[in-house]
Amino acid sequence: MAQKPESSRGLLHMVGITKRYGDLVADDRVSFMVREGEIHALLGENGAGKSTLMKVLYGMVQPDEGEIWIDGTPVQIASPHDAVRNGIGMVHQRFMLVPNLTAVENVVLGMRQPRAPLLDLSDARDRLMELAADYHLEVEPDVPVWQLSVGMQQRLEILKALYRGARLLVLDEPTAVLAPSEVTHLFRVMRLLVAEGRGIIFISHKLSEVKEVSDRITVLRAGRVTGSIETPEATAAGLSEMMVGRQVSISRVSPPSVGSTAVLEIERVTCLGDRGTAALRELSLTVRSGEIVGVAGVDGNGQRELVELIAGLRPTADGQILIDGQQPRDVLQQTSMLGFIPEDRHREGLVEDMTVAENIVLKIHGRAPFTDRGLLRWGAINAHAEEQIGVYGIRCSGPSARASALSGGNQQKVVIARETQDGPRLLVAAQPTRGLDVGAVEAVLALLRQQRDRGAAILLISTELPELLAVSDRIVVLHGGEIIGEAPPSEDHLDLIGQMMMGHRPVTAVA
């Protein structure tokens, strides 16, 4: 047993954590400490070792070397149950909820029931709603999780951890689905939690948020700690360089352009959501070739229904959608017409058990030279994938690499490669940078600009206002299933856009 680490009011000490997957060293002798009453930010590129380190902490994987101390006492965390018993709660970026169960059923799942074998949810519901009121984390306790917005699902995950008595809370990209005002509220909640003596590990790729809310910052690169710094001493440029080894910039590189020919025409469209109520109400929108139209809005205001309508995955109740004058269902088989980057690359964008080559040719595998008399020609498929890997800068071991083995940024590049390799007239990109580090975000935005510059019409749905400002030629705001305003992509209009995201209609048109 290693020597007891110095306390410094230390709630958590991870000492010399090493985790190997074959020849890959995911974490290499990583030491990490969280004090009571502290928000400690953990930064790093996708694939830097953050997720592996947190999986070790939460008992999802076992380290090859190293120790974990809680309150100055060494502990063995062999499972998430052990983690919860030690006061650790984790809100994963990919939610660990059962979609068909209600919110309150998810909260009590796996917990011992006081009246077992009977299940009485009344006390649990009361306690859940008490926590929700205390921390202003709105949730609908009796609604199946699959019907909840992404933002409400994340709030439920936080409440679930608090319900189970978490003293150390791991928040993995908690602001990815929130509007600016909601982020401010979340930060107030986090400060309240640490004021009560809890510790928070805050994982985020948004350097401005890290600077705003954290007390200390630790940076990982290639599985090793490159530095730990008190937040007031940190700069965004310095943190970016610690993360990726170079300066990174996400800003506008050219003035907004004016589109030409209308490619996407949405005329007074109304559609129903999963609960049978109107998710979009008489929505009209035009996207022209050679322009990026950004759609801003808090998650759950009709974004998912909008992209599903365009992709032909959801019917309209009224109105019509035309893509180059055709109905969406008539262009689905035309790979040169529509490209679709879905919101969830894991569930909808990739087949993770397939190789990079197989994912890249999913839409075009049935045509020459990839198929000959009904048989796949693997030589042609792999050669094509090798070419696309070079064109799109996909970092992987080669065409035969499993998609599941790639970092988030490179998985997203595989999706973009598949959806844009045929030069589609219309590209719909839903939250294309969600969960990506600053270097990967920079690369994805550059790819979107390239598609715009070759003449594609691009509809970009994002909750990330800085990114919308950086690449959009026009910004419209979606709230309650309606477009309630439009603004130029300028920081001068940031407050106005934020107000519209919360439902405030502009009194006059914005120039």
Side-chain angles (χ1 to χ4, degrees):
M1 182 64 65
Q3 182 179 356
K4 180 178 179 178
E6 295 182 10
S7 174
S8 300
R9 295 186 295 115
L11 175 59
L12 167 73
H13 286 82
M14 303 181 76
V15 183
I17 300 295
T18 296
K19 179 62 183 177
R20 304 180 183 88
Y21 296 98
D23 294 333
L24 172 67
V25 182
D27 285 313
D28 187 3
R29 294 166 292 176
V30 173
S31 293
F32 180 70
M33 188 265 279
V34 180
R35 304 184 184 107
E36 293 178 359
E38 173 184 67
I39 299 173
H40 195 144
L42 185 60
L43 288 178
E45 288 186 279
N46 295 102
K50 306 185 303 298
S51 295
T52 299
L53 187 66
M54 293 301 100
K55 287 178 180 178
V56 169
L57 175 62
Y58 202 60
M60 300 175 72
V61 299
Q62 298 304 304
D64 298 307
E65 301 171 17
E67 297 174 326
I68 299 174
W69 299 65
I70 301 289
D71 289 327
T73 301
V75 296
Q76 296 293 325
I77 303 180
S79 68
H81 177 76
D82 287 344
V84 172
R85 185 167 50 83
N86 282 282
I88 301 170
M90 186 169 179
V91 179
H92 300 262
Q93 185 179 347
R94 296 174 67 181
F95 305 137
M96 299 295 184
L97 299 170
V98 181
N100 290 332
L101 297 183
T102 66
V104 68
E105 287 169 345
N106 269 276
V107 166
V108 302
L109 186 64
M111 298 184 70
R112 185 181 299 276
Q113 297 302 307
R115 302 175 186 175
L118 299 177
L119 179 62
D120 183 358
L121 296 177
S122 58
D123 290 343
R125 183 183 294 104
D126 291 343
R127 175 59 179 152
L128 175 62
M129 297 314 293
E130 180 183 341
L131 285 169
D134 287 345
Y135 297 105
H136 306 285
L137 295 169
E138 177 191 358
V139 71
E140 298 180 54
D142 300 311
V143 173
V145 162
W146 69 271
Q147 291 186 357
L148 300 179
S149 68
V150 176
M152 192 171 290
Q153 289 182 37
Q154 190 160 59
R155 293 194 289 274
L156 175 60
E157 285 277 31
I158 295 174
L159 289 167
K160 178 179 167 185
L162 296 176
Y163 185 95
R164 296 174 184 223
R167 291 180 57 231
L168 175 65
L169 192 60
V170 181
L171 301 179
D172 190 357
E173 298 286 346
T175 66
V177 295
L178 303 180
S181 61
E182 292 180 307
V183 171
T184 301
H185 170 69
L186 175 63
F187 289 172
R188 285 198 297 265
V189 172
M190 291 167 63
R191 281 298 177 195
L192 178 60
L193 292 172
V194 296
E196 296 174 344
R198 293 179 176 88
I200 293 178
I201 300 173
F202 178 59
I203 302 175
S204 176
H205 294 117
K206 303 174 186 177
L207 302 184
S208 60
E209 293 182 356
V210 167
K211 285 275 292 174
E212 179 180 349
V213 76
S214 69
D215 301 299
R216 277 194 303 151
I217 303 167
T218 292
V219 181
L220 292 180
R221 185 167 81 229
R224 294 185 176 183
V225 174
T226 58
S228 188
I229 188 172
E230 300 292 327
T231 300
E233 302 172 7
T235 65
L239 292 172
S240 295
E241 192 159 0
M242 290 171 68
M243 287 173 61
V244 301
R246 61 180 177 83
Q247 292 291 324
V248 177
S249 174
I250 299 172
S251 59
R252 179 166 291 281
V253 297
S254 61
S257 65
V258 178
S260 54
T261 306
V263 175
L264 173 66
E265 298 172 275
I266 303 176
E267 300 176 2
R268 300 179 66 85
V269 161
T270 296
C271 83
L272 302 181
D274 294 330
R275 300 190 195 181
T277 57
L280 296 176
R281 299 176 178 87
E282 296 191 344
L283 185 146
S284 297
L285 178 66
T286 299
V287 184
R288 296 176 174 83
S289 60
E291 74 170 355
I292 299 176
V293 174
V295 179
V298 180
D299 236 14
N301 277 276
Q303 292 93 329
R304 180 164 63 91
E305 291 81 4
L306 175 60
V307 298
E308 288 179 354
L309 280 173
I310 298 170
L313 302 176
R314 183 180 293 268
T316 61
D318 196 11
Q320 71 170 353
I321 297 177
L322 298 176
I323 301 174
D324 248 10
Q326 302 179 62
Q327 300 286 340
R329 63 177 179 269
D330 297 328
V331 305
L332 290 181
Q333 301 304 316
Q334 303 177 46
T335 58
S336 62
M337 190 67 75
L338 174 64
F340 177 41
I341 303 171
E343 175 179 343
D344 189 336
R345 61 180 170 273
H346 302 284
R347 188 177 65 181
E348 301 167 329
L350 292 167
V351 183
E352 292 190 313
D353 288 338
M354 284 187 175
T355 66
V356 171
E358 289 168 333
N359 273 282
I360 286 177
V361 299
L362 272 178
K363 293 178 71 172
I364 58 175
H365 71 277
R367 71 189 193 200
F370 311 117
T371 299
D372 184 15
R373 287 173 288 187
L375 298 177
L376 294 174
R377 301 183 61 217
W378 288 105
I381 290 173
N382 288 325
H384 175 73
E386 190 76 59
E387 178 184 4
Q388 298 305 307
I389 287 170
V391 169
Y392 288 87
I394 302 168
R395 294 168 59 185
C396 63
S397 59
S400 61
R402 295 285 174 189
S404 58
L406 273 59
S407 70
N410 286 293
Q411 288 179 337
Q412 194 72 322
K413 288 180 183 179
V414 171
V415 175
I416 294 173
R418 183 187 65 229
E419 298 300 320
T420 63
Q421 60 188 333
D422 262 9
R425 291 272 292 151
L426 172 66
L427 177 63
V428 179
Q431 314 294 351
T433 64
R434 177 169 288 170
L436 303 186
D437 61 72
V438 290
V441 168
E442 182 186 49
V444 168
L445 296 183
L447 289 171
L448 293 180
R449 291 189 187 103
Q450 290 173 13
Q451 293 298 311
R452 186 269 313 274
D453 292 344
R454 70 159 179 81
I458 299 178
L459 185 68
L460 171 61
I461 295 94
S462 178
T463 56
E464 303 299 327
L465 286 183
E467 296 168 16
L468 288 176
L469 293 175
V471 299
S472 299
D473 301 301
R474 292 188 289 131
I475 295 177
V476 298
V477 179
L478 187 62
H479 178 81
E482 301 178 59
I483 291 178
I484 66 171
E486 179 175 330
S490 166
E491 291 191 3
D492 295 338
H493 298 99
L494 190 57
D495 288 342
L496 174 62
I497 294 172
Q499 291 172 17
M500 288 192 289
M501 289 173 65
M502 301 310 298
H504 302 295
R505 293 180 183 272
V507 177
T508 59
V510 182

